[in-house]
Amino acid sequence: MNSGIPDELVSLGLAMRADDVEEVHRVAGPAATMICYRLPDGFVRYERFRDEVADLPSIADTAFMSDIRTVLPWISMPTITRSGIFYPGLLGRRRLVDVLMSSRPLLSEEVRYLSAWHRTLGVQLAHLHFMECAGIQQQPTEIGKLDEVRAIIDTRPTSRQSSTPTDRLRAILHRHYPTLVARLVLACDHFLRCANPSIVHGEYCPAHICLPDARYHDDNPTAADPGLRTIGWLKAGYGCPAVDVGWFLGELCEASAMRAASKIEKQHVAELGQQFLHGYFPVAGSAIRHPCRDLVPTYAAAKILSHVATYVKYFPFHRGVLDVLDLADEVIRGVHDLPLLQADKKGDQ
């Protein structure tokens, strides 16, 4: 354990004593190292990025963000230091993605909790999107992840020669997935032209949903505060609310594809997507309008593509990359088995 980090938790007021801090989980990836610490009253997640940590976006360094935290207590606001980013106030070490992307089958008790929690997450996201924003100029702002997607799809390669894995990915997209590219270009442009922008998380997905440990919740997963906490606010801004909905569903599509060997497992994931939408749209109502609503599947595909764009920077290009591109293409064409908005769109006709 890096002894300096517990000391820093104390200096930031996130822990009483360094001796009270216990490291319980560590994941070292190519872009960042993530560590979860247990404190007597909960957990703190720490992220140290390989590249220099950027400043908080303007929306997150204002007093208004503190007001959001007061109204929406499920937000874990980041504390940024020179060493990395701390997310305090968590009630468990696991993230939702750790459960969904696990190689083991989902247990029946897990499905019961996950179903209720996904509906809650939909409700929570709708409250974020459509809370009052008095006193803040609501202008769409570019978010980093969409910018990464734009960098791959906007520039048509000038030759068949590819000097980097990213160049090769770009060439493949333009040559074999022209419809996917065209839809993604429109979705990226629409984000900045949205007529009714809202606060957006910018990276709302299971990787940024922290789950409670058993001792912090009772046997009622539908409790008013089930202990879910949302982290990862560095890309927050204003823009089309459909980007958050699509981003979340895109990661569910990946979880569904990973569990393709089991029809029951895939059905479980599809039902979680439906629960998320059932929680979101009754609260959001007509506030998320067309064309935003119609772009949700495209933003889901953008999420999938963003993972590919990051992957090829650090790992060799292989057949699995093309499988993921096929998945993104299936999502925008509506042939993926995760319902996305198909049922809702039928009801609008």
Side-chain angles (χ1 to χ4, degrees), residues 81-216:
T81 70
R82 289 188 176 184
S83 71
I85 306 172
F86 294 91
Y87 291 99
L90 309 179
L91 301 182
R93 74 170 183 84
R94 291 191 310 168
R95 298 170 301 159
L96 181 56
V97 69
D98 300 329
V99 177
L100 295 178
M101 301 299 284
S102 170
S103 59
R104 65 170 179 78
L106 294 173
L107 304 176
S108 58
E109 184 68 6
E110 282 182 315
V111 173
R112 183 173 76 91
Y113 274 93
L114 288 171
S115 180
W117 285 345
H118 273 73
R119 183 181 286 262
T120 297
L121 291 171
V123 171
Q124 290 179 345
L125 183 62
H127 282 305
L128 173 71
H129 285 166
F130 304 111
M131 68 178 297
E132 292 296 325
C133 305
I136 301 295
Q137 185 178 10
Q138 300 176 45
Q139 295 295 328
T141 51
E142 185 64 275
I143 59 176
K145 287 298 182 180
L146 276 183
D147 201 39
E148 291 176 10
V149 173
R150 190 192 303 276
I152 292 177
I153 61 177
D154 276 0
T155 305
R156 185 177 297 277
T158 57
S159 71
R160 290 182 177 270
Q161 297 297 320
S162 58
S163 58
T164 69
T166 299
D167 292 334
R168 183 180 177 187
L169 176 61
R170 183 184 297 114
I172 290 172
L173 278 168
H174 282 278
R175 191 173 306 129
H176 300 293
Y177 302 91
T179 302
L180 174 61
V181 169
R183 292 278 296 274
L184 289 170
V185 168
L186 289 175
C188 289
D189 290 344
H190 172 80
F191 182 83
L192 294 176
R193 295 184 289 100
C194 181
N196 297 288
S198 70
I199 302 170
V200 292
H201 179 282
E203 291 185 283
Y204 193 77
C205 62
H208 287 142
I209 306 299
C210 294
L211 305 178
D213 279 2
R215 63 177 172 145
Y216 291 106

Side-chain angles (χ1 to χ4, degrees), residues 71-74 91 116-117 119-121 123-124 127 216-229:
V71 176
L72 306 175
W74 44 269
L91 301 182
W117 285 345
R119 183 181 286 262
T120 297
L121 291 171
V123 171
Q124 290 179 345
H127 282 305
Y216 291 106
H217 67 76
D218 56 25
D219 290 332
N220 178 18
T222 62
D225 180 11
L228 305 169
R229 297 293 181 265

Side-chain angles (χ1 to χ4, degrees), residues 216-248:
Y216 291 106
H217 67 76
D218 56 25
D219 290 332
N220 178 18
T222 62
D225 180 11
L228 305 169
R229 297 293 181 265
T230 302
I231 62 174
W233 293 91
L234 295 186
K235 305 298 183 184
Y238 283 101
C240 175
V243 73
D244 282 341
V245 180
W247 223 248
F248 190 90

